[in-house]
Amino acid sequence: MISREPTIERLATAKSLLLTPFGLDESHLARALKEIKAHQVDEADLYFQYTRSEGWSLEEGIVKTGSFSIDQGVGVRAVSGEKTAFAYSDDISEASLLDAARTVRTISSAAQAGRARTATKKIAGGRALYPGLDPIATLDSATKVDLLGKVERLARAKDPRVAQVMAGLASEYDVVMVARADGTLAADVRPLVRLSVTVIAEQKGRREIGSAGGGGRFGLAYFDDERIEKYVNEAVHAALTNLDARPAPAGEMTVVLGPGWPGILLHEAIGHGLEGDFNRKGSSAFSGRVGQRVAAKGVTVLDDGTIADRRGSLNVDDEGNVSQRNVLIEDGILKGYIQDAMNARLMGVAPTGNGRRESYAHIPMPRMTNTYMLGGDKDPQEIVKSIKKGLYATNFGGGQVDITSGKFVFSASEAYWVENGKIVYPVKGATIVGSGPECLKRVSMIGNDMKLDSGVGTCGKEGQSVPVGVGQPTLRIDGLTVGGTA
């Protein structure tokens, strides 16, 4: 069997789902874009999407819900200066396409109307970071139900204090196609799966929760027995640890963050502040600081959409640009921002492959993919032993950040009090308060154990949610404020 180049294969898949069933071809897309360009605009694109999703959830020993949905549609956008006109429809047809095109072109006044130039067709380059499969079809329904039942049985067998187990299995098959006014045609086929495990443990009337899970851009066979047991062990351990947790001390202290998922603090407190739209508008704490020191020496932060199989990775972004490995901060010096096409054009730089949108019903904006800090040269145990009195946080729950000031508040879901280099007891109710830019300057030790999260992150911005990844090594940060309950 002769296989086609991945970029051509993805484009063929997209056409078969998004054009052919509706009697459309590339000539119809060209006509719609020509309608938009009849008035002077800086950018215009058509974004087609087909999404098939499935979810199963278990609670109280039984699979209580199963869901399946199909969504498809097209978003039509025109950009003039910093103004965006956008229309979308779940009706993929020539009439809807042309109607939307005529609607968005009004962003530019008729006085600016001119002759529409013919664009030369070009297929956008792309990566091959994950298989173009439908993950929903990689296991049958009975096997999916059995998988969730296995989670329940394993968790309850770990400890008699496990009182309740909840598990969820989600799969998504997402096919997108972008046609741009400059003649570029791009497509991506994006599988996405996730298994989540939540355990509630009870002891002497006290109930505590622990959670774990993971996933990425591959099939459901990823969740083999060994991985399922790993997630269960992590969730049970977290719940049982919290049963013994004491109120967290409060005050300014040394804080050590564990590797992997604690990188969510980096994502929120620093990553959002490096997105192009906030910096173009001057509303970020990092605005106008390219080339300046914004972090301690040794701190290097990347946003990398090119890591194979990762939840936040993309072959092409939602504007048809190839994903990239972008160095944002290098050895403490700010190197650049995360950019979509519009903000890049207005700032006089190149797009970085970070134009992302939740769906065809949303406009693209600069968003993170997989954001992480590179490792250093310190042994993680050495970092913990360096704490005279302080907090060691290994897992986080929710948090929030103010982009303008960079100030953040995060709650630790698993943390320990450390004295004289020894873990004394687990603590509950610890919140970490600080400023992203200041936090980076106070990094004093960087571990050699950089780890990415297990594949569970979802980022929200201006009402849009997209899958992302985070990561970091063990970090010691001096002089952070901890809000506790003691």
Side-chain angles (χ1 to χ4, degrees):
M1 178 179 177
I2 299 174
S3 60
R4 289 182 286 191
E5 194 272 332
T7 301
I8 303 301
E9 189 71 44
R10 291 193 296 265
L11 195 54
T13 299
K15 289 179 179 178
S16 70
L17 287 170
L18 293 162
L19 298 185
T20 305
F22 308 101
L24 299 177
D25 58 30
E26 290 180 41
S27 68
H28 296 97
L29 311 190
R31 182 180 171 191
L33 289 167
K34 186 177 180 181
E35 284 284 347
I36 301 173
K37 293 188 294 179
H39 286 189
Q40 186 62 47
V41 295
D42 292 308
E43 300 166 31
D45 58 30
L46 313 175
Y47 181 83
F48 294 84
Q49 183 177 33
Y50 171 93
T51 304
R52 189 161 62 239
S53 304
E54 182 186 78
W56 300 85
S57 64
L58 175 144
E59 191 174 348
E60 297 177 348
I62 58 173
V63 174
K64 285 195 167 181
T65 61
S67 61
F68 181 82
S69 66
I70 296 177
D71 191 20
Q72 60 192 21
V74 59
V76 180
R77 179 179 63 141
V79 182
S80 180
E82 60 181 47
K83 297 185 298 179
T84 298
F86 180 71
Y88 70 91
S89 175
D90 59 4
D91 172 28
I92 301 177
S93 66
E94 182 182 12
S96 293
L97 202 57
L98 293 175
D99 185 50
R102 294 180 186 115
T103 299
V104 301
R105 75 180 185 184
T106 58
I107 190 172
S108 182
S109 67
Q112 293 177 296
R115 181 178 297 176
R117 290 174 293 176
T118 302
T120 303
K121 176 186 171 182
K122 49 187 173 183
I123 305 299
R127 303 188 184 278
L129 303 172
Y130 35 81
L133 53 77
D134 176 1
I136 297 172
T138 57
L139 289 181
D140 61 41
S141 297
T143 306
K144 293 168 187 173
V145 171
D146 288 344
L147 188 155
L148 294 177
K150 186 180 296 181
V151 170
E152 161 90 13
R153 292 189 298 274
L154 281 171
R156 290 193 178 277
K158 295 293 178 185
D159 194 283
R161 290 172 289 179
V162 173
Q164 192 172 352
V165 180
M166 292 158 282
L169 186 65
S171 310
E172 182 178 281
Y173 178 61
D174 191 34
V175 180
V176 303
M177 184 171 67
V178 184
R180 295 202 311 242
D182 65 2
T184 300
L185 200 59
D188 203 1
V189 179
R190 302 168 179 168
L192 191 64
V193 297
R194 177 175 170 175
L195 174 63
S196 57
V197 181
T198 301
V199 169
I200 297 175
E202 185 171 5
Q203 178 177 266
K204 298 178 181 178
R206 178 175 175 176
R207 293 169 69 89
E208 295 291 348
I209 192 168
S211 59
R217 296 196 181 281
F218 31 64
L220 292 168
Y222 175 78
F223 302 119
D224 57 17
D225 289 349
E226 181 180 352
R227 198 167 303 276
I228 291 170
E229 183 149 16
K230 177 178 181 289
Y231 295 159
V232 168
N233 286 340
E234 290 173 355
V236 171
H237 170 77
L240 297 181
T241 297
N242 286 329
L243 282 177
D244 297 324
R246 304 181 195 179
E252 187 175 290
M253 64 186 72
T254 297
V255 174
V256 170
L257 306 177
W261 180 247
I264 189 66
L265 189 149
L266 180 78
H267 168 103
E268 294 288 357
I270 292 101
H272 278 297
L274 297 178
E275 290 170 336
D277 47 357
F278 298 125
N279 288 281
R280 176 177 64 81
K281 297 170 185 175
S283 59
S284 167
F286 294 99
S287 296
R289 301 189 64 188
V290 172
Q292 298 180 20
R293 178 165 295 282
V294 297
K297 286 187 69 64
V299 172
T300 296
V301 178
L302 294 86
D303 184 85
D304 188 354
T306 72
I307 309 173
D309 298 330
R310 292 296 304 177
R311 181 174 170 86
S313 294
L314 302 168
N315 288 318
V316 294
D317 72 4
D318 294 327
E319 296 179 301
N321 292 310
V322 180
S323 57
Q324 297 181 29
R325 180 180 187 268
N326 299 296
V327 179
L328 305 177
I329 298 172
E330 185 172 28
D331 199 21
I333 306 299
L334 181 60
K335 293 295 184 179
Y337 305 118
I338 296 165
Q339 300 286 5
D340 64 349
M342 183 187 80
N343 286 283
R345 172 175 53 80
L346 293 170
M347 294 180 75
V349 296
T352 59
N354 290 89
R356 304 190 65 187
R357 53 180 118 196
E358 180 178 325
S359 77
Y360 67 87
H362 301 82
I363 61 170
M365 62 180 85
R367 304 291 300 272
M368 285 172 274
T369 55
N370 304 298
T371 309
Y372 58 94
M373 184 187 296
L374 294 184
D377 60 359
K378 301 298 182 185
D379 183 278
Q381 293 183 344
E382 177 190 349
I383 297 177
V384 176
K385 287 178 180 178
S386 73
I387 305 173
K388 187 174 182 181
K389 280 190 176 182
L391 191 74
Y392 176 37
T394 59
N395 207 351
F396 280 92
Q400 55 187 1
V401 63
D402 179 86
I403 302 298
T404 303
S405 66
K407 292 180 180 178
F408 62 81
V409 180
F410 270 87
S411 59
S413 58
E414 185 176 346
Y416 303 86
W417 181 247
V418 180
E419 290 187 13
N420 299 317
K422 293 184 178 180
I423 294 175
V424 184
Y425 53 80
V427 298
K428 182 176 174 61
T431 57
I432 297 176
V433 182
S435 159
E438 287 304 312
C439 172
L440 285 180
K441 293 175 182 176
R442 296 182 181 185
V443 173
S444 59
M445 298 178 80
I446 304 174
N448 58 12
D449 58 340
M450 200 292 284
K451 184 172 77 169
L452 296 171
D453 76 287
S454 60
V456 296
T458 298
C459 173
K461 176 180 175 181
E462 297 182 20
Q464 293 192 42
S465 296
V466 295
V468 297
V470 300
Q472 67 173 41
T474 298
L475 295 178
R476 171 175 163 149
I477 306 174
D478 298 324
L480 277 183
T481 299
V482 176
T485 51

